[in-house]
Amino acid sequence: MEDILILAIESSCDETSVAIVKNGRDVLSNITQSQIDIHKIYGGVVPEIASRNHIKAITYVTEEALQIANVKLEDIDVIACTYGPGLVGTILVGLSYAKGLAFALNKPLVGVNHIEGHIAANYIKYKELKPPFLTLIISGGHTHLVYVEDYTEFKILGKTRDDAIGEAFDKVARIIGLGYPGGPKIEALAKQGTPNIVLPSMNLENFNFSFSGIKTAILNMYNKNKEINKPDLCASFQYYVTESLLANTLEAAKKYNISKIVLCGGVSANSYIREKFSEVCKEKNLKLYYPDIDLCTDNAAMIGSAGYYNYIAGKTADLTLNGVPNLTIEGVIF
Ligand code: KG4
Ligand code: ZN
Protein backbone atom coordinates (compact mmCIF):
# COMPACT_ATOMS: atom_id res chain seq x y z
CA MET A 1 0.00 0.00 0.00
CA GLU A 2 1.18 3.52 -0.76
CA ASP A 3 2.21 5.80 2.08
CA ILE A 4 -0.55 8.04 3.37
CA LEU A 5 0.48 11.41 4.73
CA ILE A 6 -2.07 13.08 6.96
CA LEU A 7 -2.18 16.67 8.15
CA ALA A 8 -4.11 16.58 11.42
CA ILE A 9 -5.64 19.42 13.44
CA GLU A 10 -6.75 19.46 17.08
CA SER A 11 -8.52 22.45 18.67
CA SER A 12 -11.21 20.96 20.94
CA CYS A 13 -10.12 22.81 24.08
CA ASP A 14 -7.13 25.03 24.84
CA GLU A 15 -4.41 23.46 22.69
CA THR A 16 -3.93 24.47 19.06
CA SER A 17 -2.11 21.54 17.58
CA VAL A 18 -1.15 20.47 14.06
CA ALA A 19 0.73 17.29 13.15
CA ILE A 20 1.96 15.49 10.07
CA VAL A 21 1.56 11.72 10.48
CA LYS A 22 2.58 8.96 8.06
CA ASN A 23 0.53 5.76 7.86
CA GLY A 24 -1.08 6.38 11.25
CA ARG A 25 2.02 5.51 13.26
CA ASP A 26 4.95 7.73 12.27
CA VAL A 27 4.86 11.29 13.55
CA LEU A 28 6.87 13.62 11.29
CA SER A 29 5.90 16.68 13.34
CA ASN A 30 3.51 17.51 16.17
CA ILE A 31 3.35 21.20 17.05
CA THR A 32 1.23 22.28 19.98
CA GLN A 33 0.56 25.82 21.13
CA SER A 34 -0.91 25.59 24.63
CA GLN A 35 -3.07 28.34 26.13
CA ILE A 36 -2.58 27.22 29.74
CA ASP A 37 -0.81 30.45 30.69
CA ILE A 38 -3.67 32.52 29.27
CA HIS A 39 -6.43 30.64 31.12
CA LYS A 40 -4.76 29.95 34.45
CA ILE A 41 -5.57 33.39 35.83
CA TYR A 42 -9.27 32.45 35.45
CA GLY A 43 -8.80 29.04 37.12
CA GLY A 44 -10.00 27.19 34.01
CA VAL A 45 -10.57 27.46 30.27
CA VAL A 46 -12.68 30.42 29.11
CA PRO A 47 -14.28 29.20 25.83
CA GLU A 48 -14.51 32.55 24.01
CA ILE A 49 -10.91 33.46 24.82
CA ALA A 50 -9.82 29.98 23.74
CA SER A 51 -11.55 30.34 20.34
CA ARG A 52 -9.90 33.69 19.67
CA ASN A 53 -6.47 32.33 20.51
CA HIS A 54 -6.95 29.33 18.23
CA ILE A 55 -7.65 31.76 15.40
CA LYS A 56 -4.40 33.58 16.16
CA ALA A 57 -2.35 30.39 16.32
CA ILE A 58 -3.73 28.02 13.69
CA THR A 59 -1.86 29.38 10.65
CA TYR A 60 1.61 29.58 12.15
CA VAL A 61 1.23 26.26 13.98
CA THR A 62 0.31 24.65 10.62
CA GLU A 63 3.25 26.31 8.88
CA GLU A 64 5.63 25.11 11.57
CA ALA A 65 4.26 21.55 11.43
CA LEU A 66 4.87 21.44 7.67
CA GLN A 67 8.32 22.95 8.02
CA ILE A 68 9.47 20.57 10.78
CA ALA A 69 8.13 17.56 8.85
CA ASN A 70 9.85 18.93 5.76
CA VAL A 71 6.76 18.41 3.60
CA LYS A 72 4.76 20.73 1.38
CA LEU A 73 1.00 21.14 1.45
CA GLU A 74 0.83 19.46 -1.98
CA ASP A 75 2.42 16.31 -0.47
CA ILE A 76 -0.48 15.85 1.96
CA ASP A 77 -2.96 13.06 1.08
CA VAL A 78 -5.66 13.58 3.73
CA ILE A 79 -6.77 16.33 6.12
CA ALA A 80 -7.99 15.05 9.52
CA CYS A 81 -9.56 17.19 12.20
CA THR A 82 -11.26 16.82 15.59
CA TYR A 83 -14.99 17.53 15.22
CA GLY A 84 -16.02 16.70 18.81
CA PRO A 85 -16.42 16.32 21.71
CA GLY A 86 -15.22 19.62 23.13
CA LEU A 87 -15.98 23.33 23.06
CA VAL A 88 -18.03 24.16 20.00
CA GLY A 89 -16.34 27.50 19.29
CA THR A 90 -12.82 26.11 19.51
CA ILE A 91 -13.68 23.00 17.46
CA LEU A 92 -15.09 25.21 14.70
CA VAL A 93 -11.83 27.12 14.36
CA GLY A 94 -9.83 23.97 13.60
CA LEU A 95 -12.59 22.40 11.56
CA SER A 96 -13.13 25.47 9.36
CA TYR A 97 -9.40 25.65 8.74
CA ALA A 98 -9.32 21.91 7.91
CA LYS A 99 -12.25 22.30 5.50
CA GLY A 100 -10.51 25.24 3.82
CA LEU A 101 -7.37 23.14 3.31
CA ALA A 102 -9.32 20.11 2.05
CA PHE A 103 -11.25 22.29 -0.40
CA ALA A 104 -8.22 24.21 -1.65
CA LEU A 105 -6.06 21.09 -2.04
CA ASN A 106 -8.94 18.93 -3.26
CA LYS A 107 -8.06 16.25 -0.71
CA PRO A 108 -10.33 14.06 1.44
CA LEU A 109 -11.43 15.31 4.86
CA VAL A 110 -11.74 13.00 7.85
CA GLY A 111 -13.60 14.06 10.99
CA VAL A 112 -12.03 12.53 14.10
CA ASN A 113 -13.63 11.88 17.45
CA HIS A 114 -11.28 13.38 20.05
CA ILE A 115 -11.75 10.37 22.35
CA GLU A 116 -10.68 8.00 19.57
CA GLY A 117 -7.65 10.24 19.19
CA HIS A 118 -6.64 9.73 22.82
CA ILE A 119 -6.81 5.96 22.34
CA ALA A 120 -4.76 6.17 19.12
CA ALA A 121 -1.93 7.99 20.96
CA ASN A 122 -0.87 4.49 21.96
CA TYR A 123 -0.49 3.31 18.34
CA ILE A 124 2.25 5.90 17.93
CA LYS A 125 4.35 4.57 20.81
CA TYR A 126 3.59 0.86 20.41
CA LYS A 127 3.95 -0.04 16.73
CA GLU A 128 2.79 -3.59 17.48
CA LEU A 129 -0.39 -2.61 19.34
CA LYS A 130 -3.58 -3.74 17.61
CA PRO A 131 -7.19 -4.11 18.77
CA PRO A 132 -8.88 -5.83 20.49
CA PHE A 133 -8.01 -4.36 23.88
CA LEU A 134 -9.54 -2.64 26.87
CA THR A 135 -8.88 1.07 27.24
CA LEU A 136 -9.32 3.49 30.09
CA ILE A 137 -9.71 7.04 28.82
CA ILE A 138 -8.92 9.42 31.67
CA SER A 139 -8.86 13.10 30.75
CA GLY A 140 -10.11 16.52 31.74
CA GLY A 141 -13.43 15.90 29.99
CA HIS A 142 -13.85 12.12 30.02
CA THR A 143 -13.62 8.98 32.09
CA HIS A 144 -14.57 6.03 29.91
CA LEU A 145 -13.85 2.33 30.10
CA VAL A 146 -14.05 1.10 26.52
CA TYR A 147 -13.67 -2.20 24.71
CA VAL A 148 -11.87 -1.46 21.43
CA GLU A 149 -13.06 -4.21 19.09
CA ASP A 150 -11.36 -2.81 16.04
CA TYR A 151 -9.65 0.46 15.06
CA THR A 152 -12.98 2.19 14.50
CA GLU A 153 -15.32 0.02 16.60
CA PHE A 154 -15.93 0.68 20.25
CA LYS A 155 -18.16 -0.52 23.06
CA ILE A 156 -18.42 1.74 26.08
CA LEU A 157 -18.46 -0.50 29.15
CA GLY A 158 -18.64 2.26 31.75
CA LYS A 159 -18.16 5.96 32.26
CA THR A 160 -18.35 8.66 34.87
CA ARG A 161 -21.80 9.61 36.05
CA ASP A 162 -20.68 13.08 37.14
CA ASP A 163 -17.24 14.74 37.06
CA ALA A 164 -14.50 13.48 34.75
CA ILE A 165 -11.43 12.38 36.67
CA GLY A 166 -9.24 15.24 35.35
CA GLU A 167 -11.98 17.68 36.31
CA ALA A 168 -11.90 16.22 39.84
CA PHE A 169 -8.11 16.68 39.98
CA ASP A 170 -8.53 20.29 38.80
CA LYS A 171 -11.36 21.06 41.23
CA VAL A 172 -9.59 19.53 44.25
CA ALA A 173 -6.47 21.52 43.36
CA ARG A 174 -8.55 24.70 43.18
CA ILE A 175 -10.24 23.99 46.54
CA ILE A 176 -6.90 23.66 48.33
CA GLY A 177 -5.34 26.59 46.44
CA LEU A 178 -2.90 24.85 44.10
CA GLY A 179 -4.01 26.54 40.86
CA TYR A 180 -4.73 25.29 37.33
CA PRO A 181 -4.26 22.75 35.82
CA GLY A 182 -4.47 20.77 39.03
CA GLY A 183 -3.42 17.31 37.90
CA PRO A 184 0.35 17.81 37.80
CA LYS A 185 0.23 19.98 40.97
CA ILE A 186 -1.63 17.31 42.96
CA GLU A 187 0.75 14.66 41.66
CA ALA A 188 3.80 16.68 42.80
CA LEU A 189 2.42 17.46 46.27
CA ALA A 190 1.20 13.87 46.79
CA LYS A 191 4.81 12.70 46.48
CA GLN A 192 5.53 14.40 49.84
CA GLY A 193 2.49 12.91 51.57
CA THR A 194 0.99 9.63 52.84
CA PRO A 195 -2.48 8.39 51.85
CA ASN A 196 -3.71 8.30 55.45
CA ILE A 197 -6.96 10.31 55.15
CA VAL A 198 -10.13 8.26 54.69
CA LEU A 199 -12.25 9.46 51.76
CA PRO A 200 -15.51 8.10 50.31
CA SER A 201 -15.26 5.13 47.99
CA MET A 202 -16.72 5.80 44.56
CA ASN A 203 -17.40 2.84 42.34
CA LEU A 204 -20.85 2.44 40.82
CA GLU A 205 -22.54 -0.58 39.25
CA ASN A 206 -21.82 -1.67 35.64
CA PHE A 207 -18.25 -0.33 35.46
CA ASN A 208 -19.38 3.26 35.98
CA PHE A 209 -17.46 5.86 37.97
CA SER A 210 -18.29 8.82 40.17
CA PHE A 211 -15.81 11.47 41.26
CA SER A 212 -17.99 14.27 42.60
CA GLY A 213 -18.48 12.69 46.06
CA ILE A 214 -14.77 12.59 46.85
CA LYS A 215 -14.38 16.18 45.65
CA THR A 216 -17.25 17.35 47.90
CA ALA A 217 -15.82 15.40 50.86
CA ILE A 218 -12.49 17.20 50.36
CA LEU A 219 -14.26 20.56 50.04
CA ASN A 220 -16.08 20.00 53.36
CA MET A 221 -12.95 18.69 55.08
CA TYR A 222 -10.89 21.66 53.92
CA ASN A 223 -13.55 24.21 54.89
CA LYS A 224 -13.66 22.73 58.40
CA ASN A 225 -9.90 22.58 58.78
CA LYS A 226 -7.72 24.81 56.61
CA GLU A 227 -4.65 23.46 58.43
CA ILE A 228 -5.20 19.96 57.06
CA ASN A 229 -2.03 18.37 55.74
CA LYS A 230 -2.22 19.09 51.98
CA PRO A 231 0.37 16.54 50.82
CA ASP A 232 -1.49 13.80 52.75
CA LEU A 233 -4.80 15.00 51.28
CA CYS A 234 -3.39 14.89 47.74
CA ALA A 235 -1.85 11.46 48.31
CA SER A 236 -5.16 10.16 49.70
CA PHE A 237 -7.18 11.63 46.82
CA GLN A 238 -4.81 10.07 44.31
CA TYR A 239 -4.92 6.75 46.14
CA TYR A 240 -8.73 6.53 46.19
CA VAL A 241 -9.30 7.60 42.58
CA THR A 242 -6.64 5.13 41.40
CA GLU A 243 -8.27 2.30 43.39
CA SER A 244 -11.55 3.15 41.69
CA LEU A 245 -10.00 3.10 38.20
CA LEU A 246 -8.21 -0.16 38.95
CA ALA A 247 -11.25 -1.93 40.38
CA ASN A 248 -13.45 -1.35 37.33
CA THR A 249 -10.66 -2.02 34.83
CA LEU A 250 -9.65 -5.32 36.42
CA GLU A 251 -13.22 -6.49 36.73
CA ALA A 252 -13.94 -5.66 33.08
CA ALA A 253 -10.72 -7.39 31.95
CA LYS A 254 -11.83 -10.49 33.83
CA LYS A 255 -15.42 -10.42 32.62
CA TYR A 256 -14.49 -9.95 28.95
CA ASN A 257 -11.32 -12.05 29.15
CA ILE A 258 -9.01 -9.30 27.87
CA SER A 259 -5.29 -9.26 28.58
CA LYS A 260 -4.31 -5.89 27.02
CA ILE A 261 -4.98 -2.74 29.05
CA VAL A 262 -4.41 0.64 27.40
CA LEU A 263 -4.35 3.91 29.35
CA CYS A 264 -4.83 7.27 27.63
CA GLY A 265 -5.86 10.90 28.17
CA GLY A 266 -4.28 13.71 30.15
CA VAL A 267 -4.58 11.98 33.52
CA SER A 268 -2.63 8.97 32.22
CA ALA A 269 0.44 11.23 32.53
CA ASN A 270 0.13 10.76 36.30
CA SER A 271 3.13 8.77 37.53
CA TYR A 272 1.32 7.29 40.55
CA ILE A 273 -1.48 5.95 38.32
CA ARG A 274 1.07 4.55 35.86
CA GLU A 275 3.07 2.87 38.63
CA LYS A 276 0.03 1.42 40.36
CA PHE A 277 -1.39 0.04 37.11
CA SER A 278 2.04 -1.36 36.13
CA GLU A 279 2.36 -3.12 39.49
CA VAL A 280 -1.12 -4.65 39.44
CA CYS A 281 -1.05 -5.59 35.73
CA LYS A 282 2.25 -7.39 36.26
CA GLU A 283 0.77 -9.29 39.17
CA LYS A 284 -2.30 -10.30 37.13
CA ASN A 285 -0.37 -11.10 33.96
CA LEU A 286 -1.98 -8.30 31.96
CA LYS A 287 -0.03 -6.28 29.40
CA LEU A 288 -0.17 -2.55 30.10
CA TYR A 289 0.26 0.27 27.56
CA TYR A 290 0.33 4.03 28.07
CA PRO A 291 1.41 6.90 25.77
CA ASP A 292 4.54 9.01 26.12
CA ILE A 293 3.83 11.99 28.40
CA ASP A 294 3.59 14.52 25.54
CA LEU A 295 0.95 12.38 23.80
CA CYS A 296 -1.22 11.99 26.94
CA THR A 297 -2.62 15.52 26.82
CA ASP A 298 -4.30 17.03 23.76
CA ASN A 299 -2.23 16.94 20.58
CA ALA A 300 -2.77 16.55 16.85
CA ALA A 301 -0.51 13.51 16.34
CA MET A 302 -3.10 11.30 18.02
CA ILE A 303 -5.79 12.81 15.75
CA GLY A 304 -3.60 11.98 12.74
CA SER A 305 -3.33 8.37 13.90
CA ALA A 306 -7.08 7.95 14.50
CA GLY A 307 -7.74 9.85 11.25
CA TYR A 308 -5.66 7.31 9.33
CA TYR A 309 -7.68 4.35 10.61
CA ASN A 310 -10.93 6.15 9.81
CA TYR A 311 -9.64 6.98 6.35
CA ILE A 312 -8.65 3.42 5.47
CA ALA A 313 -12.03 2.25 6.82
CA GLY A 314 -13.65 4.59 4.27
CA LYS A 315 -14.98 6.97 6.91
CA THR A 316 -14.43 10.29 5.18
CA ALA A 317 -16.53 13.42 5.56
CA ASP A 318 -17.62 16.16 3.21
CA LEU A 319 -17.48 19.92 3.61
CA THR A 320 -20.83 19.99 5.45
CA LEU A 321 -19.17 18.35 8.49
CA ASN A 322 -20.10 20.31 11.60
CA GLY A 323 -18.66 20.44 15.12
CA VAL A 324 -20.44 18.14 17.60
CA PRO A 325 -19.65 19.31 21.16
CA ASN A 326 -21.20 16.26 22.86
CA LEU A 327 -20.02 13.63 20.39
CA THR A 328 -19.69 10.16 21.90
CA ILE A 329 -18.04 7.00 20.67
CA GLU A 330 -20.36 4.44 19.21
CA GLY A 331 -21.52 1.12 20.53
CA VAL A 332 -22.87 2.01 23.95
CA ILE A 333 -23.92 -1.28 25.56
CA PHE A 334 -25.61 -0.23 28.75
O1 KG4 B 1 -6.58 14.94 27.76
P1 KG4 B 1 -6.54 16.34 28.24
O2 KG4 B 1 -5.41 17.21 27.76
O3 KG4 B 1 -7.85 17.12 27.89
C1 KG4 B 1 -9.11 16.58 27.69
O4 KG4 B 1 -9.35 15.97 26.61
O5 KG4 B 1 -9.93 16.71 28.61
O6 KG4 B 1 -6.54 16.27 29.82
C2 KG4 B 1 -6.36 17.37 30.63
C3 KG4 B 1 -6.51 16.92 32.07
C4 KG4 B 1 -6.56 18.06 33.08
O7 KG4 B 1 -7.66 17.86 33.91
C5 KG4 B 1 -5.24 17.90 33.85
O8 KG4 B 1 -5.32 18.32 35.19
C6 KG4 B 1 -5.02 16.41 33.76
O9 KG4 B 1 -5.42 16.07 32.45
N1 KG4 B 1 -3.61 16.03 33.98
C7 KG4 B 1 -3.21 15.29 35.02
C8 KG4 B 1 -1.80 15.20 34.92
N2 KG4 B 1 -1.40 15.90 33.81
C9 KG4 B 1 -2.54 16.40 33.24
N3 KG4 B 1 -3.90 14.71 36.02
C10 KG4 B 1 -3.20 14.03 36.94
N4 KG4 B 1 -1.86 13.93 36.93
C11 KG4 B 1 -1.11 14.48 35.94
N5 KG4 B 1 0.22 14.36 35.94
ZN1 ZN C 1 -8.34 15.42 25.37
Side-chain angles (χ1 to χ4, degrees), residues 15 114 118 138-142 166-167 169-170 181-184 187 238 265-267 269-271 296-298:
E15 263 93 27
H114 181 83
H118 274 301
I138 42 178
S139 74
H142 319 282
E167 196 182 343
F169 266 95
D170 294 339
E187 176 186 340
Q238 225 176 221
V267 181
N270 185 283
S271 62
C296 287
T297 45
D298 294 348

Side-chain angles (χ1 to χ4, degrees), residues 63-327:
E63 279 166 2
E64 198 178 332
L66 286 163
Q67 200 181 5
I68 301 282
N70 199 20
V71 299
K72 296 193 184 63
L73 264 181
E74 307 85 80
D75 303 329
I76 300 294
D77 300 302
V78 178
I79 308 291
C81 183
T82 302
Y83 74 108
L87 302 168
V88 70
T90 65
I91 291 168
L92 286 177
V93 177
L95 186 56
S96 306
Y97 198 80
K99 285 185 193 177
L101 285 178
F103 180 70
L105 299 169
N106 197 20
K107 297 290 176 188
L109 174 71
V110 176
V112 177
N113 182 315
H114 181 83
I115 304 174
E116 282 184 46
H118 274 301
I119 301 169
N122 282 280
Y123 298 139
I124 293 165
K125 176 168 170 195
Y126 304 100
K127 308 293 181 212
E128 76 290 358
L129 177 65
K130 290 187 180 111
F133 53 78
L134 187 65
T135 186
L136 184 65
I137 302 145
I138 42 178
S139 74
H142 319 282
T143 313
H144 282 51
L145 188 58
V146 173
Y147 177 57
V148 181
E149 260 187 316
D150 206 341
Y151 287 106
T152 61
E153 273 169 53
F154 309 92
K155 283 194 166 84
I156 301 177
L157 307 179
K159 60 181 180 179
T160 181
R161 290 301 190 186
D162 40 59
D163 291 351
I165 183 166
E167 196 182 343
F169 266 95
D170 294 339
K171 284 179 178 168
V172 167
R174 183 152 32 152
I175 291 166
I176 62 174
L178 300 183
Y180 172 86
K185 298 201 162 110
I186 289 194
E187 176 186 340
L189 205 54
K191 288 202 169 109
Q192 303 161 30
T194 316
N196 54 10
I197 299 172
V198 178
L199 293 168
S201 150
M202 300 151 291
N203 273 8
L204 301 176
E205 73 301 333
N206 298 333
F207 307 118
N208 289 318
F209 303 94
S210 167
F211 298 107
S212 74
I214 189 166
K215 170 203 66 191
T216 309
I218 289 175
L219 177 68
N220 292 339
M221 230 175 234
Y222 187 68
N223 282 343
K224 268 194 212 129
N225 174 18
K226 295 259 176 358
E227 305 303 309
I228 195 163
N229 183 306
K230 287 187 191 175
D232 288 351
L233 194 60
C234 291
S236 306
F237 169 74
Q238 225 176 221
Y239 168 83
Y240 280 97
V241 294
T242 308
E243 290 301 303
S244 156
L245 297 175
L246 265 172
N248 277 357
T249 309
L250 293 178
E251 214 181 307
K254 199 167 156 196
K255 181 169 173 191
Y256 295 98
N257 197 20
I258 306 166
S259 61
K260 289 190 269 184
I261 310 290
V262 173
L263 302 181
C264 61
V267 181
S268 68
N270 185 283
S271 62
Y272 176 79
I273 294 177
R274 286 170 176 238
E275 278 161 26
K276 214 53 216 280
F277 266 80
S278 300
E279 207 180 289
V280 175
C281 285
K282 201 169 165 203
E283 220 176 270
K284 307 257 177 212
N285 242 336
L286 299 166
K287 180 111 179 71
L288 180 71
Y289 304 82
Y290 45 72
D292 286 336
I293 297 277
D294 59 331
L295 294 184
C296 287
T297 45
D298 294 348
N299 66 87
M302 67 185 198
I303 302 303
S305 178
Y308 171 79
Y309 289 104
N310 277 288
Y311 176 68
I312 59 171
K315 298 187 177 184
T316 53
D318 61 30
L319 297 178
T320 62
L321 181 68
N322 207 349
V324 184
N326 54 1
L327 185 68

